[in-house]
Amino acid sequence: FSGKDPSKVDRSAAYANRHIAKNLVAAGVSDQILVQVSYAISVAQPMGIFVNTYGTSNVDLKDGEIAEKVKALFDMRPAAIEKRLKLRNPIYKETAAYGHMGRTPEIKTVSFTSPSGEVVTKEVETFTWEKLDYVDAVKKAFDL
């Protein structure tokens, strides 16, 4: 992910897929799940969302039907992902060591130098893609 602007779906969609998968498993939709998304250049909406539960689904829906519910529940446009996961905040220094996934979200105060040379101190939330903040919405959508 290094060097990728958060508006690039290489980075933002990977975080969003992680966020979706964690919330689906935590809500009990399946025991394990793979979420994939594909985009086309200059098209905001994803071309497709693919879900594979590896036969571990706990709901009476096919993987394609689960994907349709995911599509309705999570806005996967790049700008919406940026906003939902707060990807424009100065949070990436934390990812430089020990990776991007499997980390604990935290509220931290960070200081950085803005492009104008001003030192800015801001409270930010790190690793937002690891949060289980959609579990209730997923349970409601899947009648769990």
Side-chain angles (χ1 to χ4, degrees):
F1 297 137
S2 298
K4 289 286 185 184
D5 179 291
S7 71
K8 307 298 182 238
V9 292
D10 311 52
R11 179 178 220 148
S12 60
Y15 293 147
N17 285 344
R18 170 74 175 187
H19 182 242
I20 292 167
K22 283 189 64 140
N23 279 274
L24 290 173
V25 169
V29 172
S30 66
D31 297 333
Q32 45 179 317
I33 196 163
L34 169 73
V35 179
Q36 292 179 331
V37 63
S38 61
Y39 292 90
I41 294 170
S42 299
V43 179
Q45 289 291 347
M47 300 305 292
I49 295 177
F50 172 80
V51 168
N52 186 348
T53 61
Y54 302 101
T56 67
S57 176
N58 298 317
V59 294
D60 192 24
L61 296 170
K62 296 178 181 160
D63 289 354
E65 294 168 321
I66 294 171
E68 286 301 315
K69 285 189 177 278
V70 165
K71 186 177 177 181
L73 191 57
F74 294 91
D75 189 345
M76 291 297 285
R77 295 172 298 154
I81 294 169
E82 277 184 49
K83 185 177 180 180
R84 181 173 75 243
L85 299 179
K86 303 172 189 158
L87 298 180
R88 284 288 174 184
N89 283 326
I91 57 174
Y92 300 104
K93 187 175 183 179
E94 297 289 324
T95 67
Y98 308 109
H100 298 253
M101 308 301 178
R103 307 284 296 275
T104 303
E106 298 177 285
I107 305 282
K108 292 191 171 192
T109 302
V110 297
S111 295
F112 60 96
T113 304
S114 73
S116 66
E118 175 188 4
V119 175
V120 177
T121 300
K122 184 176 182 176
E123 192 172 84
V124 298
E125 187 175 12
T126 61
F127 304 102
T128 54
W129 49 91
E130 297 291 339
K131 290 173 50 174
L132 298 176
D133 55 343
Y134 269 69
V135 171
D136 290 338
V138 170
K139 284 182 177 183
K140 184 177 178 182
F142 285 89
D143 296 321
L144 293 172

